Amino acid sequence: MNGLVAGLVLGVGLVLLVSAFTSPPRARRRSRGRARLDDLLASAGLAGLGAGRLVGASAASGLVTLVVVLGGSRSVVLAVAFAVGATAAPTAAVRWRAERRRGELRAVWPDVVDDLASGVRAGLSLPEALARAGARAPASVAPAFERFAADHRASGRFGASLDALKERLADPVADRIVESLRLAREVGGSDLGRLLRDLSTFLREDARTRGELEARQGWTVNAARLAAAAPWLTLALLSLRPEAVHAYDTPQGAFVLLAGAAVTVVAYRAMVRIGRLPTEPRVLR
């Protein structure tokens, strides 16, 4: 066991030494990581949570799991293995929420765009058309449009209110709609209604196609997730038996856990990458 600990410490030291010479500056790395977390939280509709709280929740999840598993099994190796997995759980939950929210918005945007096109065709100003669309929009996006109307009434600044709306929605389709409205406001044009109607038709076709693909691949993805989780659920049950715990406290047992974790992560990431449908990036943010 002492040799295992010494080997782990030596490995961590070598990784830190190499990263000190090959990694980008620390401030830039931190800012990029924080920006990615902020974008993920915004996509999940949790922009008010903050990246710091998400990191704190991850650390707390890992610590609680470490204490619970260590108290139940008396095995440091098993406790560390489950704690590392639990540390990633909050981020995985936020990522799942972001994917679900994107799916919900994908079904909502055609109706919102239709309302905007109707308002523009009826002769409403762009702020009035947006306020009307927000009043008739589903609950998932209505608060953002209501905040836009309140911001515009308070400041009268259409561009700044659009920027705030875009940040609250944090969606590529919303970015496209907002920039179309901004362009129509600044340079004018009589084709905005036609553009919005064409965009609504495209969004409906895209949502229908993506829904069919997701329905076909859903059972395969869920089966792959179950296959990745099954060995660790079995390990959790085995940790209740003292003889199994003792086996994993040996260097050979620790190596088996490390190899199993590596295979699980690589296989799961490969499954996600192969089965992932293309998503539109936020190029107009």
Side-chain angles (χ1 to χ4, degrees), residues 66-239:
L66 179 67
V67 172
V68 171
V69 176
L70 184 60
S73 65
R74 305 295 179 182
S75 172
V76 177
V77 176
L78 287 177
V80 170
F82 281 103
V84 170
T87 302
T91 303
V94 173
R95 197 178 303 278
W96 173 81
R97 179 185 173 94
E99 292 177 357
R100 188 182 67 175
R101 182 173 180 266
R102 280 193 292 267
E104 293 174 352
L105 291 180
R106 199 177 297 120
V108 163
W109 285 130
D111 294 332
V112 174
V113 174
D114 284 341
D115 287 337
L116 282 173
S118 298
V120 171
R121 189 167 56 249
L124 297 177
S125 66
L126 291 180
E128 292 172 343
L130 278 170
R132 173 186 170 182
R136 301 173 58 180
S140 56
V141 296
F145 284 98
E146 292 172 357
R147 290 285 302 277
F148 164 82
D151 291 344
H152 188 264
R153 284 195 302 268
S155 65
R157 300 169 58 189
F158 185 70
S161 301
L162 278 182
D163 291 336
L165 174 64
K166 187 164 61 172
E167 291 303 319
R168 294 189 191 103
L169 293 172
D171 184 78
V173 178
D175 294 344
R176 195 187 314 169
I177 297 171
V178 166
E179 294 305 324
S180 299
L181 296 176
R182 189 196 309 275
L183 185 63
R185 175 82 171 196
E186 293 178 354
V187 303
S190 58
D191 292 335
L192 178 60
R194 182 186 306 171
L195 183 148
L196 291 174
R197 289 192 297 272
D198 292 342
L199 178 59
S200 173
T201 301
F202 169 78
L203 292 176
R204 280 193 169 87
E205 293 176 354
D206 180 71
R208 182 174 61 253
T209 303
R210 184 177 290 270
E212 293 176 356
L213 292 175
E214 289 178 348
R216 291 179 180 180
Q217 73 170 184
W219 67 273
T220 304
V221 174
N222 290 332
R225 289 173 177 170
L226 180 60
W232 299 98
L233 295 176
T234 304
L235 179 62
L237 295 176
L238 288 175
S239 66

Side-chain angles (χ1 to χ4, degrees), residues 44-67:
L46 301 173
L49 182 62
R53 293 184 180 180
L54 178 59
V55 173
S58 300
S61 176
L63 181 60
V64 170
T65 303
L66 179 67
V67 172

